[in-house]
Amino acid sequence: MTAFGALAEAASATNLLAARLQMAVSLGWHIVLSCMGVGMPVLLVFTEWRAIRTGDDNYMRLARKWARAVGVLFAVGAVSGTVLSFELGLLWPGLMGTYGQVIGFPFALEGIAFFIEAIFIGIYLYSWDRLPPKIHLLTGIPVMIAGTASAFFVVSANAWMNQPVGFEAKDGRITSVDPWRAMFNPATPLQTTHMIVAAFMVAGFLVAAVYAVAMLRGRRDRYHRLGFLVPFTLASIFAPLQIVVGDFIARFLATNQPVKLAAAEALFQTRAGAPLSIGGFVVNDELRYALDIPYGLSMLVGFHPDTVVQGLNIVPVAERPPVNPVHLAFDTMVGIGFFLLLMAAWFALAWWRRRDLPRSPWFLRLAAISGVAAVVAVETGWIVTEVGRQPWVVYGRLRTADAVNPAPGLWLGLVALLLVYLFLTIAIVYVLRRLAREPKEVVGEGAPRELLLQAPQELLQAPQERD
């Protein structure tokens, strides 16, 4: 290799690393806001509906406070989402230039959903006190639908990267494009369901965690109890569903993406009676210090202890993903999923027996942790999805290294991105903390219901009730 060739190869490797880190940071940051964008509108609409139906001013206070939080998160999420859309073209011209005609359709639909969401969020926030309560409630429904639809369209594009269909490749050219088939590829139903359910869990557990902390500090009034109960109930409903969806995905991977499943389980050799390996780490193509459940993986994917599970040996070493990060991320995601399931079961049992929260202080302590745990679960889930597909950006079709922008200096974009996200993180934490510390709006007993629903913050301030 000539000196020039060596320098060019080193520059290309640097570009690839910078591009992958930039996408990882962008996606890892944006995905949390996306989850809140899916889950928070549902909490908001439900809480306002309860306020209208029951006349309980505590629901209305929560709805107003959550509405302001939704406005802040949406504004920041619009920035990070725009950054991602530019990154796809700037960092990965090999992907978008070749396959943009195939996966552009869901991105276009996501743009429409985004505009609908933006328009109705504006209407919803502006029309407090300006529309009749029931009409105002209806303006929140499009926000709820558009947020979920946006998640579906974006994740369907990612699902296509895992299961590329809807086109033919002839002599290096893409022909016979069928964008509908591409969007509804075999991975779309399970992957979109998995992500949307995760979004509801993240939003529910994260919001509930805020009120769990407040209750641990002694704020046990009805306002804080409802602030905990409503989002925690939503998240608890989805927790068992997520386990079921995850089980279906494991069997789907065994058939359609066996290398990803093998990396997640650190299974190097194809075998019958494959164990389910928990924890451990890989050294020299051998998983060490793991807790093995005999026949567990075979039972999981085939309901029989002698089911043959494909290992990493079915592909050359150069076509294997890095095993340690995928395996550890997978175990972390699954472990947190079962932790959240147990929290939901504990809550459901106590509510069924006494119509109240579990009395143990450990319940609120663990509930306060559940919000961060749900975020970690969704981040590690994306690590499994994205790193587990490597070295392919389009599975079996296009290598990641062949899709990256060859222009020099991509690391400068990474530095700029880190600075931007550092600023946004500080700004969003500052604004949300200021919002959380705002005095509660209190409505006095006997206030007319119409006034309660329209302008509760202007009626009374009760110092003893303030945060």
Side-chain angles (χ1 to χ4, degrees):
M1 181 181 293
T2 64
F4 179 80
L7 288 174
E9 185 174 330
S12 177
T14 303
N15 260 15
L16 179 59
L17 179 62
R20 291 188 65 185
L21 287 176
Q22 191 166 332
M23 286 302 294
V25 172
S26 298
L27 281 169
W29 206 87
H30 184 72
I31 197 171
V32 180
L33 296 177
S34 299
C35 290
M36 301 304 285
V38 172
M40 283 295 289
V42 175
L43 294 174
L44 194 56
V45 170
F46 173 80
T47 307
E48 187 182 1
W49 171 73
R50 288 293 296 169
I52 295 172
R53 185 175 177 82
T54 65
D56 188 336
D57 60 295
N58 290 291
Y59 280 113
M60 186 55 70
R61 295 171 196 154
L62 287 169
R64 283 179 174 272
K65 179 157 287 190
W66 290 350
R68 290 194 286 273
V70 166
V72 172
L73 294 173
F74 180 83
V76 181
V79 174
S80 57
T82 303
V83 169
L84 272 171
S85 64
F86 279 109
E87 285 176 341
L88 278 175
L90 291 173
L91 299 179
W92 310 106
L95 167 65
M96 299 310 293
T98 306
Y99 293 102
Q101 57 187 313
V102 184
I103 60 171
F105 185 49
F107 285 125
L109 294 179
E110 195 276 337
I112 295 172
F114 170 78
F115 282 120
I116 292 173
E117 188 178 9
I119 290 168
F120 278 93
I121 278 183
I123 294 173
Y124 186 85
L125 295 177
Y126 180 75
S127 61
W128 280 106
D129 310 330
R130 292 179 174 84
L131 288 176
K134 292 182 180 178
I135 300 299
H136 179 264
L137 176 65
L138 292 176
T139 65
I141 293 176
V143 180
M144 191 172 60
I145 296 173
T148 304
S150 289
F152 174 85
F153 293 133
V154 170
V155 178
S156 69
N158 184 272
W160 176 86
M161 293 162 70
N162 293 319
Q163 293 292 142
V165 296
F167 66 95
E168 293 182 9
K170 293 181 180 177
D171 302 325
R173 296 180 56 201
I174 302 301
T175 61
S176 306
V177 174
D178 184 347
W180 285 101
R181 184 163 176 251
M183 188 168 73
F184 291 99
N185 62 80
T188 291
L190 286 174
Q191 193 171 330
T192 53
T193 303
H194 195 45
M195 184 64 240
I196 291 171
V197 170
F200 284 121
M201 291 177 65
V202 168
F205 283 122
L206 203 53
V207 175
V210 174
Y211 292 89
V213 172
M215 293 174 73
L216 285 169
R217 292 176 176 174
R219 299 170 188 168
R220 304 264 179 153
D221 53 89
R222 179 169 173 76
Y223 172 83
H224 286 91
R225 281 176 58 84
L226 287 176
F228 176 82
L229 279 171
V230 172
F232 198 86
T233 302
L234 175 76
S236 297
I237 291 171
F238 283 100
L241 177 61
Q242 188 68 300
I243 299 298
V244 175
V245 175
D247 180 61
F248 275 98
I249 287 179
R251 283 194 290 282
F252 178 84
L253 291 180
T255 304
N256 297 279
Q257 299 173 51
V259 177
K260 182 181 289 185
L261 179 64
E265 287 294 337
L267 182 69
F268 284 86
Q269 298 297 323
T270 300
R271 58 176 290 189
L276 193 66
S277 300
I278 301 173
F281 58 91
V282 174
V283 179
N284 296 328
D285 288 353
E286 181 184 355
L287 181 62
R288 300 181 180 179
Y289 309 114
L291 173 63
D292 285 346
I293 301 176
Y295 308 104
L297 186 57
S298 289
M299 289 294 295
L300 180 69
V301 302
F303 302 113
H304 194 282
D306 292 331
T307 300
V308 175
V309 183
Q310 293 180 303
L312 288 164
N313 64 307
I314 64 172
V315 295
V317 173
E319 295 184 8
R320 298 176 186 175
V323 179
N324 270 324
V326 177
H327 175 63
L328 294 176
F330 181 74
D331 281 0
T332 303
M333 175 188 67
V334 173
I336 292 176
F338 277 98
F339 162 69
L340 298 176
L341 176 66
L342 290 175
M343 288 295 295
W346 190 3
F347 168 66
L349 179 63
W351 196 260
W352 175 66
R353 294 179 61 187
R354 296 183 289 103
R355 306 289 290 178
D356 199 0
L357 294 174
R359 292 173 179 168
S360 170
W362 277 103
F363 176 76
L364 285 178
R365 290 169 188 162
L366 294 175
I369 297 172
S370 67
V372 175
V375 171
V376 173
V378 82
E379 297 283 5
T380 50
W382 269 107
I383 290 174
V384 175
T385 300
E386 295 302 298
V387 180
R389 191 182 58 240
Q390 300 306 315
W392 306 99
V393 65
V394 179
Y395 188 64
R397 298 282 187 171
L398 178 65
R399 287 178 176 270
T400 308
D402 296 331
V404 71
N405 191 336
L410 291 190
W411 62 272
L412 292 173
L414 172 63
V415 173
L417 184 89
L418 292 174
L419 292 175
V420 168
Y421 280 141
L422 177 63
F423 169 76
L424 287 176
T425 302
I426 294 172
I428 196 171
V429 170
Y430 174 78
V431 172
L432 290 179
R433 283 177 64 87
R434 287 288 302 265
L435 182 61
R437 290 173 178 173
E438 285 183 359
K440 290 185 300 185
E441 298 122 348
V442 180
V443 178
E445 294 183 1
R449 180 171 172 147
E450 293 74 11
L451 292 178
L452 165 69
L453 297 174
Q454 291 178 4
Q457 76 279 19
E458 297 175 2
L459 296 180
L460 289 172
Q461 293 291 328
Q464 70 275 15
E465 287 286 292
R466 292 177 181 169
D467 290 333

